[in-house]
């Protein structure tokens, strides 16, 4: 006798992704661009008092900053959803990173070649926790072009860490970054990570 077709729904998988990087690198833009829902932002105006702490070299027109997190969602097909959590970029908000990183599948580290050193703390954070991540070079208008290999060398990345070029303002470009991360995480054996608190580098 032929078996009856199953009415069981396809299992739905929800995965948590962090979007990290330095101050003003485009994390809020990235989350907002790829999110299919209205993103949650915790943006506040920059004040004169904060300008001594927040370097605006190359981003002089920046007027706001994330003070808690950004949140968005994107689905792939009927069975996979990614929940995106954008981290705050300034050192004084590092205490939030450990809370946001709990249960994450992996991370996107956005990089700006005009201020590449600003993403070193995020790279170090995820390497120390053995959390899979990709470096996505946000190709800003007017910035000098570097190849993925040149960026990987400059950041001294572990072998196998992908570097991709992207435009945080373009949804298809952002989706390609996320697909790269999912493929990486799918091949990533996660050992027991040490409990190392976040700290600025």
């Amino acid at each position: 006798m032929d078996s009856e077709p199953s009415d069981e729904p396809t299992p739905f998988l929800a995965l948590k992704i962090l979007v990290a990087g330095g101050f003003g690198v485009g994390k809020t833009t990235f989350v907002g661009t790829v999110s299919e829902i209205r993103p949650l932002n915790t943006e506040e105006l920059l004040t004169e008092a904060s300008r001594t702490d927040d370097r605006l070299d190359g981003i002089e027109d920046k007027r706001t900053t994330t003070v808690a997190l950004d949140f968005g969602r994107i689905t792939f097909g009927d069975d996979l959803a990614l929940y995106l959590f954008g981290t705050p970029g300034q050192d004084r908000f590092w205490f939030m990173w450990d809370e946001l990183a709990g249960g994450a599948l992996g991370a996107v580290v956005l990089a700006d070649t005009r201020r590449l050193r600003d993403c070193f703390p995020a790279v170090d954070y995820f390497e120390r926790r053995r959390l899979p991540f990709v470096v996505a070079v946000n190709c800003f208008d007017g910035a000098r072009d570097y190849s993925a290999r040149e960026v990987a060398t400059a950041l001294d990345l572990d072998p196998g860490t992908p570097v991709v070029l992207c435009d945080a303002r373009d949804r298809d470009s952002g989706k390609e970054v996320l697909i790269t991360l999912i493929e990486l995480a799918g091949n990533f054996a996660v050992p027991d990570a040490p409990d190392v608190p976040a700290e600025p580098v």
Side-chain angles (χ1 to χ4, degrees), residues 91 93-99 101 121 124-125 128-129 195-201:
D91 290 354
F93 297 124
W94 267 77
F95 67 92
M96 297 189 60
W97 279 50
D98 289 330
E99 292 296 326
D124 182 63
Y125 181 90
R128 286 162 58 197
R129 283 154 185 78
D195 185 15
V196 183
E199 58 184 35
V201 175

Side-chain angles (χ1 to χ4, degrees), residues 47-79:
T47 64
E48 287 302 319
S50 71
R51 290 181 181 272
T52 58
D53 297 318
D54 301 328
R55 285 195 316 113
L56 297 178
D57 303 340
I59 50 171
E60 289 81 3
D61 293 335
K62 185 171 177 60
R63 295 290 178 265
T64 61
T65 184
T66 298
V67 296
L69 60 88
D70 299 311
F71 175 77
R73 185 191 72 202
I74 181 172
T75 56
F76 292 88
D78 297 326
D79 57 355

Side-chain angles (χ1 to χ4, degrees), residues 117-182:
R117 63 185 178 184
D118 289 356
C119 73
F120 271 106
V123 168
D124 182 63
Y125 181 90
F126 297 122
E127 284 184 343
R128 286 162 58 197
R129 283 154 185 78
R130 303 185 184 96
L131 190 70
F133 68 95
V134 301
V135 174
V137 180
N138 194 6
C139 299
F140 286 90
D141 295 334
R144 180 179 170 185
D145 291 334
Y146 291 92
S147 69
R149 183 185 297 272
E150 288 174 313
V151 172
T153 300
L155 293 176
D156 192 25
L157 296 175
D158 290 340
T161 302
V163 176
V164 294
L165 307 182
C166 77
D167 183 343
R169 302 164 299 181
D170 183 83
R171 191 165 194 263
D172 289 338
S173 179
K175 287 175 67 174
E176 288 300 319
V177 172
L178 295 172
I179 290 170
T180 300
L181 175 60
I182 293 170

